Amino acid sequence: MANEFDLIARYFSRPAPTGFLGVGDDCALLPVRPGFQLATSTDLLIEGRHFFADVDPSTLGHKALAVNLSDLAAMGAKPVACLLSLSLPQADADWLKGFSDGFYALAKETHCPLVGGDTARSPSGITISVTVLGEIQPGKAMLRSGAQPDDDIWVSGTLGAADIALRLLQKKLPDNATLLAATRSALERPQPQLLLGQCLAGIAHAALDISDGLVQDLGHILNASGCGAQLDYDALPVDAALAGLPLNVQQEAVLGGGDVYQLCFTAPAHQRDYILAQAQSVAVRVTRIGRITRQRGVLIKDSRGRSITPPSMGFDHFA
Ligand code: ADP
Ligand code: MG
């Protein structure tokens, strides 16, 4: 099969837009608009850790880019370009075709051309590293440190589906083909909230994307901002697919489940109507789920005022 250079030429050398120098030289060259800041982020996906060895390569290509774009979305940045580094045990043509098609499809949809990367053979297992580059106007980026007491806390989309799909695939929940069919795309084909993020830039005080679980990730905003939060459990946008599941299973998925790639953000109450209108203009559901408090810690209550103890929370690679 192909050597390294054939492989790159065959699967990862689709032309970059005019004004870009893409794959093929020692560096890519990107146009940078005057007056903008460059936003950049990188994420690793490791076989057996972040994805199952037998996952459909096209959905994996999509997800590898999606999780990175989600970081740009969380800052409010607009994609400019991306880089892809691959370490593969062998050059499997079917896998490479599927993976590159899935990757390029999302790159095209989000105007984030692939302009370079690296390719190497791995002794075992696939490792994928994607780096995204984006642009944003100075002062507009949504940092984790900007939340203020009395801000509303918002979340986009729905919660819990990806976690349920993961637990079904891991056989940690009893087999249920209907439930898997209803939740699988949340896990395998997350849609980065780029347009919403760009609408919120300059409006929201703080934001991040939920990769490790709502409560854990919200905790990053609270730590960085030096405040706490009160959440209304009954306001949370529980994914409709979870309806028939026991309450404790739903709660764990909604509060602690990772791989969500929705935005959690805080904003002053006077922006409510504006935020709802902006979200509607980009056809994304947003829900107000609580408020930022001066008092540290996270308090979760249902609408009858009963406290809910968050389940063992979030994901930590070195826990
Ligand atoms: P270098 O010797 O500088 O490391 P390489 O021979 O590794 O360059 O890569 C040749 C070209 O192909 C470079 O432009 C590099 O950015 C690009 N490239 C390598 N692997 C990938 C990949 N997986 N996806 C996109 N571009 C890649
Ligand atoms: Mg190289």
Side-chain angles (χ1 to χ4, degrees):
M1 163 75 218
N3 72 28
E4 175 189 336
F5 304 104
D6 294 336
L7 187 160
I8 296 164
R10 190 169 309 172
Y11 298 103
F12 300 108
S13 296
R14 299 191 201 178
T18 324
F20 287 70
L21 179 69
V23 169
D25 219 306
D26 293 312
C27 287
L29 296 174
L30 315 178
V32 183
R33 280 201 281 172
F36 281 75
Q37 285 179 321
L38 196 63
T40 183
S41 181
T42 192
D43 263 315
L44 267 180
L45 282 87
I46 298 168
E47 180 179 321
R49 171 60 64 188
H50 301 95
F51 61 92
F52 298 105
D54 61 353
V55 71
D56 171 56
S58 160
T59 65
L60 184 60
H62 170 97
K63 184 164 180 176
L65 180 56
V67 302
N68 280 275
L69 289 170
S70 182
D71 286 318
L72 289 182
M75 298 295 280
K78 187 174 167 221
V80 171
C82 60
L83 300 153
L84 167 66
S85 293
L86 279 176
S87 146
L88 307 169
Q90 74 258 338
D92 174 336
D94 287 339
W95 190 91
L96 282 160
K97 170 89 173 71
F99 180 86
S100 57
D101 281 349
F103 191 99
Y104 272 108
L106 184 62
K108 185 170 179 207
E109 183 188 322
T110 56
H111 305 286
C112 187
L114 176 63
V115 296
D118 201 16
T119 306
R121 187 183 287 266
S122 97
S124 81
I126 298 172
T127 301
I128 304 160
S129 166
V130 176
T131 300
V132 284
L133 303 155
E135 61 173 24
I136 189 157
Q137 278 171 316
K140 287 246 176 130
M142 300 180 285
L143 310 184
R144 295 178 176 189
S145 55
Q148 292 172 24
D150 296 326
D151 274 1
D152 292 326
I153 303 171
W154 298 78
V155 68
S156 67
T158 64
L159 299 168
D163 186 60
I164 295 300
L166 178 65
R167 284 201 264 167
L168 286 166
L169 291 169
Q170 290 173 329
K171 309 279 177 211
K172 290 180 180 168
L173 284 173
D175 271 345
N176 183 334
T178 319
L179 186 59
L180 183 59
T183 54
R184 192 167 194 156
S185 72
L187 178 68
E188 294 184 344
R189 300 191 63 86
Q191 300 298 320
Q193 296 292 1
L194 286 161
L195 296 179
L196 179 67
Q198 288 164 54
C199 291
L200 295 172
I203 303 296
H205 282 161
L208 50 57
D209 66 319
I210 306 171
S211 49
D212 298 328
L214 172 66
V215 176
Q216 180 171 308
D217 285 328
L218 175 61
H220 297 315
I221 290 184
L222 303 178
N223 285 336
S225 303
C227 36
Q230 190 160 345
L231 296 182
D232 174 4
Y233 184 82
D234 293 319
L236 295 177
V238 180
D239 195 281
L242 276 61
L245 290 167
L247 194 61
N248 67 316
V249 175
Q250 288 191 33
Q251 281 184 357
E252 269 182 51
V254 166
L255 296 171
D259 264 321
V260 180
Y261 303 108
Q262 294 293 342
L263 301 186
C264 175
F265 56 98
T266 85
H270 71 262
Q271 297 285 13
R272 279 179 198 173
D273 290 345
Y274 182 79
I275 286 169
L276 287 170
Q278 290 291 304
Q280 197 174 21
S281 76
V282 294
V284 176
R285 172 176 175 182
V286 291
T287 310
R288 208 148 44 79
I289 61 168
R291 67 182 182 84
I292 297 290
T293 56
R294 242 167 254 285
Q295 175 85 39
R296 295 291 203 107
V298 182
L299 213 64
I300 309 172
K301 292 200 165 170
D302 67 15
S303 51
R304 291 160 67 184
R306 291 175 303 201
S307 293
I308 290 171
T309 313
S312 59
M313 269 167 340
F315 191 76
D316 177 345
H317 283 277
F318 294 98

